Amino acid sequence: MDRDRLGRCIGVVSLLPGEGASTVALNLAASFAISGSKTLLIDADFRDRSLSRQIAPAATSGLIEALYQGPGETILFDAKTTAHLLPFASREAARDPADLLGSPAMGRLLGELKTAFPTSIVDWSALTRAVDARAVVPMLDACLIVVAY
C-alpha cells in the first residue's frame, strides 16, 4: 500500500495523571474534524477511560472488541466534535494492557484505521502510571507529550 495514502496516527500522553492529555486529545481531534479531515479519536486509556465516559457513556463495545473482531460497529460519531470515536467500553479491567496495546492485533487495527481515517488521535494512560504508551509508540506516526507547567 502507498505510504502517502495512509492516514496519520498521533498519540497523546502525559507524564502524570491529571495533566490534561485527554482534553488535548479531544480538542485536537475536534480541530482536525472541523477543518474537514475525517478524524478518529481512540480512547486507549485502560486506567481512566475519561473520554469514553464523557463522549459515549452508554457504549457497549469499543477498543477491546475492535482488537479481536475488527472495528465494525465499535466506532461512533460524536456530533459535538464532528469526530468519530473508538471508545473504551469494557467494564472489566484488562489483565495486561501493555501486552494488548503492543500486540500484533493492535498493529493490524491501527493499520486498518489509517486506511479509513486520514487522522487518528490516540489517548493513552500517563507514562508514570503504566507502560501502555511505550508499548505502542512504535506504531504511531507522532506523539504529543502533555506536561503541566
Side-chain angles (χ1 to χ4, degrees):
M1 192 161 287
D2 184 5
R3 174 78 174 140
D4 294 335
R5 301 185 107 194
L6 290 177
R8 62 185 163 263
C9 188
I10 303 167
V12 180
V13 66
S14 63
L15 294 176
L16 300 168
E19 289 187 301
S22 295
T23 301
V24 169
L26 177 62
N27 289 328
L28 187 60
S31 295
F32 274 107
I34 290 169
S35 74
S37 178
K38 185 177 177 186
T39 304
L40 176 65
L41 178 59
I42 303 170
D43 187 353
D45 188 338
F46 279 61
R47 282 142 181 86
D48 187 10
R49 306 170 191 162
S50 63
L51 286 175
S52 296
R53 282 194 312 270
Q54 180 181 352
I55 299 173
T60 57
S61 63
L63 180 60
I64 299 295
E65 293 77 14
L67 283 171
Y68 293 114
Q69 302 159 4
E73 301 296 317
T74 60
I75 296 176
L76 309 172
F77 180 75
D78 179 42
K80 184 175 180 182
T81 62
T82 68
H84 294 79
L85 173 70
L86 177 55
F88 192 101
S90 179
R91 304 294 185 235
E92 298 177 24
R95 291 183 196 133
D96 295 311
D99 288 343
L100 279 175
L101 292 171
S103 70
M106 185 63 158
R108 284 190 299 274
L109 177 62
L110 289 178
E112 185 176 341
L113 294 173
K114 280 181 169 188
T115 63
F117 294 91
T119 306
S120 295
I121 309 293
V122 186
D123 182 43
W124 308 105
S125 298
L127 289 175
T128 56
R129 204 173 190 188
V131 296
D132 300 356
R134 292 178 226 157
V136 78
V137 163
M139 299 177 207
L140 302 175
D141 297 302
C143 191
L144 297 175
I145 299 177
V146 178
V147 294
Y149 174 70

Short mmCIF file of all heavy atoms in Angstrom, two decimals, residues 33-92:
data_model
loop_
_atom_site.label_atom_id
_atom_site.label_comp_id
_atom_site.label_asym_id
_atom_site.label_seq_id
_atom_site.Cartn_x
_atom_site.Cartn_y
_atom_site.Cartn_z
N ALA A 33 -11.21 17.47 12.76
CA ALA A 33 -12.52 17.17 12.19
C ALA A 33 -13.18 18.43 11.65
O ALA A 33 -13.74 18.42 10.54
CB ALA A 33 -13.42 16.51 13.23
N ILE A 34 -13.12 19.53 12.39
CA ILE A 34 -13.74 20.78 11.95
C ILE A 34 -13.05 21.32 10.70
O ILE A 34 -13.69 21.93 9.85
CB ILE A 34 -13.73 21.81 13.09
CG1 ILE A 34 -14.72 21.38 14.16
CG2 ILE A 34 -14.05 23.21 12.59
CD1 ILE A 34 -14.62 22.15 15.46
N SER A 35 -11.76 21.03 10.55
CA SER A 35 -11.03 21.50 9.37
C SER A 35 -11.33 20.66 8.13
O SER A 35 -10.84 20.96 7.04
CB SER A 35 -9.52 21.51 9.63
OG SER A 35 -9.01 20.19 9.63
N GLY A 36 -12.13 19.61 8.30
CA GLY A 36 -12.55 18.81 7.16
C GLY A 36 -11.88 17.45 7.04
O GLY A 36 -12.16 16.70 6.12
N SER A 37 -11.00 17.12 7.96
CA SER A 37 -10.34 15.82 7.94
C SER A 37 -11.19 14.80 8.69
O SER A 37 -11.55 15.02 9.85
CB SER A 37 -8.95 15.92 8.59
OG SER A 37 -8.32 14.66 8.62
N LYS A 38 -11.51 13.70 8.06
CA LYS A 38 -12.25 12.64 8.74
C LYS A 38 -11.33 12.12 9.86
O LYS A 38 -10.25 11.59 9.58
CB LYS A 38 -12.61 11.53 7.76
CG LYS A 38 -13.47 10.44 8.36
CD LYS A 38 -13.85 9.41 7.31
CE LYS A 38 -14.64 8.28 7.93
NZ LYS A 38 -14.88 7.21 6.96
N THR A 39 -11.77 12.29 11.09
CA THR A 39 -10.90 12.07 12.25
C THR A 39 -11.48 11.05 13.20
O THR A 39 -12.69 11.03 13.46
CB THR A 39 -10.67 13.40 12.99
OG1 THR A 39 -10.14 14.35 12.07
CG2 THR A 39 -9.72 13.24 14.15
N LEU A 40 -10.60 10.21 13.73
CA LEU A 40 -10.98 9.21 14.72
C LEU A 40 -10.23 9.47 16.02
O LEU A 40 -9.01 9.63 16.02
CB LEU A 40 -10.64 7.80 14.22
CG LEU A 40 -10.89 6.66 15.20
CD1 LEU A 40 -12.38 6.52 15.50
CD2 LEU A 40 -10.33 5.36 14.66
N LEU A 41 -10.96 9.53 17.11
CA LEU A 41 -10.38 9.66 18.45
C LEU A 41 -10.48 8.30 19.11
O LEU A 41 -11.57 7.74 19.22
CB LEU A 41 -11.15 10.72 19.25
CG LEU A 41 -10.72 10.97 20.68
CD1 LEU A 41 -9.26 11.40 20.77
CD2 LEU A 41 -11.62 12.03 21.31
N ILE A 42 -9.35 7.76 19.53
CA ILE A 42 -9.30 6.43 20.14
C ILE A 42 -9.01 6.57 21.62
O ILE A 42 -7.98 7.13 22.01
CB ILE A 42 -8.23 5.55 19.48
CG1 ILE A 42 -8.47 5.43 17.98
CG2 ILE A 42 -8.17 4.18 20.15
CD1 ILE A 42 -7.34 4.79 17.20
N ASP A 43 -9.90 6.07 22.46
CA ASP A 43 -9.66 6.06 23.90
C ASP A 43 -8.95 4.76 24.24
O ASP A 43 -9.56 3.71 24.32
CB ASP A 43 -10.98 6.17 24.68
CG ASP A 43 -10.77 6.33 26.17
OD1 ASP A 43 -9.61 6.22 26.64
OD2 ASP A 43 -11.76 6.56 26.89
N ALA A 44 -7.63 4.84 24.42
CA ALA A 44 -6.83 3.67 24.75
C ALA A 44 -6.27 3.79 26.17
O ALA A 44 -5.27 3.18 26.50
CB ALA A 44 -5.69 3.52 23.74
N ASP A 45 -6.94 4.59 26.99
CA ASP A 45 -6.52 4.75 28.39
C ASP A 45 -7.22 3.68 29.22
O ASP A 45 -8.36 3.86 29.65
CB ASP A 45 -6.86 6.15 28.88
CG ASP A 45 -6.27 6.45 30.25
OD1 ASP A 45 -5.95 5.49 30.99
OD2 ASP A 45 -6.12 7.64 30.57
N PHE A 46 -6.56 2.58 29.43
CA PHE A 46 -7.13 1.44 30.15
C PHE A 46 -7.40 1.76 31.61
O PHE A 46 -8.14 1.05 32.28
CB PHE A 46 -6.18 0.24 30.08
CG PHE A 46 -6.26 -0.52 28.80
CD1 PHE A 46 -5.97 0.07 27.58
CD2 PHE A 46 -6.61 -1.87 28.81
CE1 PHE A 46 -6.03 -0.65 26.41
CE2 PHE A 46 -6.67 -2.60 27.63
CZ PHE A 46 -6.38 -1.98 26.42
N ARG A 47 -6.80 2.80 32.15
CA ARG A 47 -6.91 3.09 33.56
C ARG A 47 -7.93 4.17 33.92
O ARG A 47 -8.46 4.19 35.00
CB ARG A 47 -5.54 3.45 34.12
CG ARG A 47 -4.71 2.20 34.33
CD ARG A 47 -3.26 2.41 33.97
NE ARG A 47 -2.48 1.20 34.17
CZ ARG A 47 -2.36 0.24 33.28
NH1 ARG A 47 -3.01 0.30 32.15
NH2 ARG A 47 -1.59 -0.81 33.49
N ASP A 48 -8.20 5.09 33.00
CA ASP A 48 -9.09 6.20 33.32
C ASP A 48 -10.37 6.21 32.48
O ASP A 48 -11.44 6.43 33.01
CB ASP A 48 -8.33 7.52 33.16
CG ASP A 48 -9.13 8.71 33.63
OD1 ASP A 48 -10.18 8.53 34.26
OD2 ASP A 48 -8.71 9.85 33.36
N ARG A 49 -10.27 6.04 31.18
CA ARG A 49 -11.42 6.00 30.27
C ARG A 49 -12.26 7.27 30.29
O ARG A 49 -13.46 7.25 30.04
CB ARG A 49 -12.32 4.81 30.59
CG ARG A 49 -11.58 3.51 30.61
CD ARG A 49 -12.42 2.41 31.16
NE ARG A 49 -11.55 1.26 31.39
CZ ARG A 49 -11.86 0.25 32.15
NH1 ARG A 49 -13.01 0.21 32.75
NH2 ARG A 49 -11.03 -0.74 32.31
N SER A 50 -11.64 8.41 30.59
CA SER A 50 -12.40 9.65 30.73
C SER A 50 -13.06 10.09 29.42
O SER A 50 -14.16 10.63 29.43
CB SER A 50 -11.52 10.76 31.29
OG SER A 50 -10.46 11.07 30.42
N LEU A 51 -12.40 9.87 28.29
CA LEU A 51 -13.00 10.26 27.02
C LEU A 51 -14.29 9.49 26.76
O LEU A 51 -15.30 10.06 26.37
CB LEU A 51 -12.03 10.02 25.86
CG LEU A 51 -10.88 11.00 25.74
CD1 LEU A 51 -9.94 10.57 24.62
CD2 LEU A 51 -11.39 12.41 25.48
N SER A 52 -14.24 8.20 26.98
CA SER A 52 -15.43 7.37 26.76
C SER A 52 -16.55 7.74 27.71
O SER A 52 -17.72 7.78 27.32
CB SER A 52 -15.09 5.89 26.90
OG SER A 52 -14.17 5.52 25.89
N ARG A 53 -16.23 8.01 28.96
CA ARG A 53 -17.26 8.42 29.92
C ARG A 53 -17.88 9.74 29.53
O ARG A 53 -19.08 9.96 29.70
CB ARG A 53 -16.67 8.52 31.33
CG ARG A 53 -16.49 7.19 32.03
CD ARG A 53 -16.24 7.35 33.51
NE ARG A 53 -15.22 8.34 33.84
CZ ARG A 53 -13.92 8.06 33.96
NH1 ARG A 53 -13.47 6.84 33.80
NH2 ARG A 53 -13.06 9.01 34.27
N GLN A 54 -17.08 10.64 28.97
CA GLN A 54 -17.56 11.97 28.58
C GLN A 54 -18.36 11.95 27.29
O GLN A 54 -19.44 12.55 27.21
CB GLN A 54 -16.37 12.91 28.42
CG GLN A 54 -16.73 14.32 28.03
CD GLN A 54 -15.50 15.20 27.86
OE1 GLN A 54 -14.39 14.82 28.17
NE2 GLN A 54 -15.72 16.39 27.35
N ILE A 55 -17.88 11.24 26.27
CA ILE A 55 -18.50 11.30 24.95
C ILE A 55 -19.50 10.18 24.71
O ILE A 55 -20.53 10.39 24.08
CB ILE A 55 -17.42 11.28 23.85
CG1 ILE A 55 -16.50 12.48 24.00
CG2 ILE A 55 -18.05 11.26 22.47
CD1 ILE A 55 -15.31 12.45 23.08
N ALA A 56 -19.19 8.99 25.19
CA ALA A 56 -20.06 7.83 24.90
C ALA A 56 -20.24 6.95 26.14
O ALA A 56 -19.82 5.80 26.16
CB ALA A 56 -19.45 7.02 23.76
N PRO A 57 -20.88 7.49 27.17
CA PRO A 57 -21.01 6.73 28.42
C PRO A 57 -21.82 5.45 28.28
O PRO A 57 -21.66 4.51 29.05
CB PRO A 57 -21.68 7.70 29.37
CG PRO A 57 -22.36 8.71 28.50
CD PRO A 57 -21.54 8.79 27.25
N ALA A 58 -22.69 5.36 27.28
CA ALA A 58 -23.54 4.18 27.11
C ALA A 58 -22.95 3.16 26.13
O ALA A 58 -23.59 2.15 25.84
CB ALA A 58 -24.93 4.60 26.64
N ALA A 59 -21.73 3.40 25.63
CA ALA A 59 -21.13 2.48 24.66
C ALA A 59 -20.98 1.09 25.26
O ALA A 59 -20.56 0.94 26.41
CB ALA A 59 -19.77 3.01 24.21
N THR A 60 -21.33 0.09 24.48
CA THR A 60 -21.25 -1.30 24.96
C THR A 60 -20.11 -2.06 24.30
O THR A 60 -19.80 -3.18 24.71
CB THR A 60 -22.57 -2.04 24.71
OG1 THR A 60 -22.87 -1.99 23.31
CG2 THR A 60 -23.70 -1.42 25.52
N SER A 61 -19.51 -1.50 23.27
CA SER A 61 -18.35 -2.12 22.64
C SER A 61 -17.37 -1.03 22.24
O SER A 61 -17.75 0.13 22.08
CB SER A 61 -18.76 -2.97 21.44
OG SER A 61 -19.34 -2.16 20.45
N GLY A 62 -16.12 -1.42 22.10
CA GLY A 62 -15.10 -0.43 21.78
C GLY A 62 -13.76 -1.05 21.42
O GLY A 62 -13.71 -2.04 20.69
N LEU A 63 -12.71 -0.50 21.99
CA LEU A 63 -11.35 -0.86 21.61
C LEU A 63 -11.05 -2.35 21.78
O LEU A 63 -10.51 -2.98 20.88
CB LEU A 63 -10.34 -0.03 22.42
CG LEU A 63 -8.87 -0.31 22.14
CD1 LEU A 63 -8.53 -0.05 20.68
CD2 LEU A 63 -7.99 0.53 23.05
N ILE A 64 -11.39 -2.92 22.91
CA ILE A 64 -11.10 -4.34 23.14
C ILE A 64 -11.79 -5.21 22.09
O ILE A 64 -11.17 -6.10 21.50
CB ILE A 64 -11.53 -4.77 24.56
CG1 ILE A 64 -10.77 -3.98 25.63
CG2 ILE A 64 -11.35 -6.27 24.76
CD1 ILE A 64 -9.29 -4.22 25.66
N GLU A 65 -13.04 -4.93 21.82
CA GLU A 65 -13.79 -5.69 20.82
C GLU A 65 -13.19 -5.48 19.42
O GLU A 65 -13.10 -6.42 18.63
CB GLU A 65 -15.27 -5.31 20.84
CG GLU A 65 -15.99 -5.72 22.11
CD GLU A 65 -15.71 -4.82 23.33
OE1 GLU A 65 -15.17 -3.72 23.17
OE2 GLU A 65 -16.04 -5.26 24.44
N ALA A 66 -12.78 -4.25 19.12
CA ALA A 66 -12.17 -3.95 17.82
C ALA A 66 -10.86 -4.70 17.64
O ALA A 66 -10.52 -5.12 16.53
CB ALA A 66 -11.96 -2.46 17.68
N LEU A 67 -10.10 -4.89 18.73
CA LEU A 67 -8.84 -5.64 18.63
C LEU A 67 -9.09 -7.08 18.21
O LEU A 67 -8.32 -7.66 17.46
CB LEU A 67 -8.11 -5.62 19.98
CG LEU A 67 -7.37 -4.33 20.33
CD1 LEU A 67 -6.88 -4.37 21.76
CD2 LEU A 67 -6.22 -4.10 19.38
N TYR A 68 -10.15 -7.67 18.71
CA TYR A 68 -10.43 -9.08 18.44
C TYR A 68 -11.29 -9.31 17.20
O TYR A 68 -11.15 -10.32 16.53
CB TYR A 68 -11.10 -9.73 19.65
CG TYR A 68 -10.18 -9.82 20.83
CD1 TYR A 68 -10.44 -9.10 21.98
CD2 TYR A 68 -9.02 -10.60 20.80
CE1 TYR A 68 -9.59 -9.17 23.08
CE2 TYR A 68 -8.16 -10.67 21.89
CZ TYR A 68 -8.45 -9.95 23.03
OH TYR A 68 -7.60 -10.01 24.09
N GLN A 69 -12.22 -8.37 16.91
CA GLN A 69 -13.20 -8.59 15.85
C GLN A 69 -13.14 -7.58 14.72
O GLN A 69 -13.93 -7.66 13.79
CB GLN A 69 -14.60 -8.59 16.47
CG GLN A 69 -14.77 -9.62 17.54
CD GLN A 69 -15.93 -9.29 18.47
OE1 GLN A 69 -16.66 -8.33 18.26
NE2 GLN A 69 -16.10 -10.10 19.50
N GLY A 70 -12.26 -6.59 14.81
CA GLY A 70 -12.23 -5.51 13.84
C GLY A 70 -13.12 -4.37 14.29
O GLY A 70 -13.97 -4.54 15.16
N PRO A 71 -12.94 -3.18 13.71
CA PRO A 71 -13.66 -2.00 14.19
C PRO A 71 -15.16 -2.04 14.00
O PRO A 71 -15.91 -1.60 14.86
CB PRO A 71 -13.03 -0.84 13.43
CG PRO A 71 -12.32 -1.44 12.29
CD PRO A 71 -12.01 -2.87 12.64
N GLY A 72 -15.65 -2.57 12.88
CA GLY A 72 -17.08 -2.74 12.64
C GLY A 72 -17.97 -1.70 13.29
O GLY A 72 -17.87 -0.51 13.02
N GLU A 73 -18.84 -2.15 14.16
CA GLU A 73 -19.83 -1.30 14.82
C GLU A 73 -19.30 -0.59 16.07
O GLU A 73 -20.06 0.06 16.77
CB GLU A 73 -21.05 -2.14 15.21
CG GLU A 73 -21.72 -2.83 14.04
CD GLU A 73 -22.33 -1.83 13.06
OE1 GLU A 73 -22.96 -0.84 13.50
OE2 GLU A 73 -22.16 -2.04 11.84
N THR A 74 -18.02 -0.71 16.35
CA THR A 74 -17.48 -0.11 17.57
C THR A 74 -17.21 1.39 17.44
O THR A 74 -17.09 2.08 18.44
CB THR A 74 -16.17 -0.81 18.00
OG1 THR A 74 -15.20 -0.67 16.96
CG2 THR A 74 -16.40 -2.27 18.31
N ILE A 75 -17.13 1.88 16.23
CA ILE A 75 -16.82 3.30 16.02
C ILE A 75 -18.11 4.11 16.02
O ILE A 75 -19.06 3.81 15.30
CB ILE A 75 -16.04 3.49 14.71
CG1 ILE A 75 -14.68 2.80 14.84
CG2 ILE A 75 -15.87 4.98 14.40
CD1 ILE A 75 -13.85 2.82 13.60
N LEU A 76 -18.11 5.15 16.83
CA LEU A 76 -19.27 6.03 16.99
C LEU A 76 -18.95 7.40 16.41
O LEU A 76 -17.79 7.78 16.28
CB LEU A 76 -19.60 6.17 18.48
CG LEU A 76 -19.75 4.87 19.27
CD1 LEU A 76 -19.88 5.18 20.75
CD2 LEU A 76 -20.94 4.08 18.77
N PHE A 77 -19.99 8.17 16.10
CA PHE A 77 -19.82 9.55 15.63
C PHE A 77 -20.26 10.49 16.73
O PHE A 77 -21.33 10.32 17.32
CB PHE A 77 -20.65 9.80 14.37
CG PHE A 77 -20.52 11.19 13.84
CD1 PHE A 77 -19.37 11.58 13.18
CD2 PHE A 77 -21.53 12.11 14.03
CE1 PHE A 77 -19.23 12.89 12.70
CE2 PHE A 77 -21.41 13.42 13.56
CZ PHE A 77 -20.25 13.80 12.89
N ASP A 78 -19.42 11.49 17.01
CA ASP A 78 -19.76 12.50 18.01
C ASP A 78 -20.15 13.79 17.29
O ASP A 78 -19.30 14.45 16.69
CB ASP A 78 -18.57 12.74 18.95
CG ASP A 78 -18.87 13.80 19.99
OD1 ASP A 78 -19.99 13.79 20.55
OD2 ASP A 78 -18.00 14.66 20.24
N ALA A 79 -21.42 14.13 17.34
CA ALA A 79 -21.92 15.30 16.62
C ALA A 79 -21.33 16.60 17.16
O ALA A 79 -21.15 17.56 16.41
CB ALA A 79 -23.45 15.35 16.70
N LYS A 80 -20.99 16.63 18.43
CA LYS A 80 -20.47 17.86 19.03
C LYS A 80 -19.09 18.21 18.46
O LYS A 80 -18.83 19.36 18.13
CB LYS A 80 -20.39 17.71 20.55
CG LYS A 80 -19.95 18.96 21.25
CD LYS A 80 -20.00 18.79 22.76
CE LYS A 80 -19.54 20.05 23.46
NZ LYS A 80 -19.54 19.89 24.91
N THR A 81 -18.20 17.22 18.35
CA THR A 81 -16.85 17.49 17.84
C THR A 81 -16.75 17.22 16.35
O THR A 81 -15.76 17.61 15.73
CB THR A 81 -15.81 16.61 18.55
OG1 THR A 81 -16.10 15.23 18.27
CG2 THR A 81 -15.77 16.86 20.04
N THR A 82 -17.72 16.56 15.76
CA THR A 82 -17.75 16.06 14.39
C THR A 82 -16.62 15.05 14.13
O THR A 82 -16.26 14.82 12.98
CB THR A 82 -17.75 17.18 13.32
OG1 THR A 82 -16.50 17.85 13.33
CG2 THR A 82 -18.90 18.15 13.53
N ALA A 83 -16.10 14.47 15.17
CA ALA A 83 -15.09 13.41 15.05
C ALA A 83 -15.75 12.07 15.36
O ALA A 83 -16.82 12.01 15.96
CB ALA A 83 -13.94 13.66 16.03
N HIS A 84 -15.10 11.01 14.93
CA HIS A 84 -15.54 9.66 15.25
C HIS A 84 -14.80 9.23 16.51
O HIS A 84 -13.73 9.75 16.83
CB HIS A 84 -15.22 8.71 14.10
CG HIS A 84 -16.02 9.03 12.87
ND1 HIS A 84 -15.69 10.05 12.01
CD2 HIS A 84 -17.14 8.47 12.38
CE1 HIS A 84 -16.57 10.10 11.04
NE2 HIS A 84 -17.47 9.15 11.23
N LEU A 85 -15.35 8.28 17.23
CA LEU A 85 -14.75 7.81 18.48
C LEU A 85 -14.72 6.29 18.51
O LEU A 85 -15.71 5.64 18.21
CB LEU A 85 -15.56 8.32 19.68
CG LEU A 85 -15.14 7.79 21.05
CD1 LEU A 85 -13.79 8.34 21.47
CD2 LEU A 85 -16.21 8.10 22.10
N LEU A 86 -13.57 5.76 18.87
CA LEU A 86 -13.45 4.35 19.22
C LEU A 86 -13.31 4.34 20.74
O LEU A 86 -12.24 4.61 21.27
CB LEU A 86 -12.24 3.70 18.54
CG LEU A 86 -11.98 2.23 18.87
CD1 LEU A 86 -13.21 1.37 18.60
CD2 LEU A 86 -10.79 1.71 18.10
N PRO A 87 -14.41 4.09 21.45
CA PRO A 87 -14.39 4.21 22.91
C PRO A 87 -13.71 3.02 23.58
O PRO A 87 -13.46 1.99 22.95
CB PRO A 87 -15.87 4.26 23.28
CG PRO A 87 -16.53 3.46 22.21
CD PRO A 87 -15.73 3.70 20.96
N PHE A 88 -13.43 3.20 24.84
CA PHE A 88 -13.02 2.08 25.67
C PHE A 88 -14.24 1.73 26.49
O PHE A 88 -14.56 2.39 27.47
CB PHE A 88 -11.85 2.45 26.58
CG PHE A 88 -11.23 1.25 27.22
CD1 PHE A 88 -10.06 0.73 26.72
CD2 PHE A 88 -11.83 0.62 28.29
CE1 PHE A 88 -9.48 -0.40 27.28
CE2 PHE A 88 -11.28 -0.50 28.86
CZ PHE A 88 -10.10 -1.02 28.36
N ALA A 89 -14.97 0.71 26.06
CA ALA A 89 -16.26 0.40 26.67
C ALA A 89 -16.22 -0.76 27.63
O ALA A 89 -17.17 -0.99 28.37
CB ALA A 89 -17.28 0.12 25.57
N SER A 90 -15.12 -1.50 27.65
CA SER A 90 -15.05 -2.68 28.50
C SER A 90 -15.14 -2.29 29.96
O SER A 90 -14.45 -1.38 30.43
CB SER A 90 -13.73 -3.42 28.25
OG SER A 90 -13.64 -4.54 29.08
N ARG A 91 -16.01 -2.95 30.68
CA ARG A 91 -16.17 -2.68 32.12
C ARG A 91 -15.18 -3.49 32.96
O ARG A 91 -14.96 -3.22 34.11
CB ARG A 91 -17.60 -3.02 32.57
CG ARG A 91 -18.68 -2.30 31.78
CD ARG A 91 -18.64 -0.81 32.02
NE ARG A 91 -19.76 -0.16 31.35
CZ ARG A 91 -19.63 0.82 30.49
NH1 ARG A 91 -18.46 1.27 30.16
NH2 ARG A 91 -20.69 1.37 29.93
N GLU A 92 -14.58 -4.49 32.34
CA GLU A 92 -13.62 -5.34 33.04
C GLU A 92 -12.22 -4.77 32.87
O GLU A 92 -11.87 -4.24 31.82
CB GLU A 92 -13.64 -6.75 32.48
CG GLU A 92 -14.97 -7.46 32.64
CD GLU A 92 -14.95 -8.84 32.00
OE1 GLU A 92 -13.86 -9.41 31.84
OE2 GLU A 92 -16.04 -9.32 31.67
#
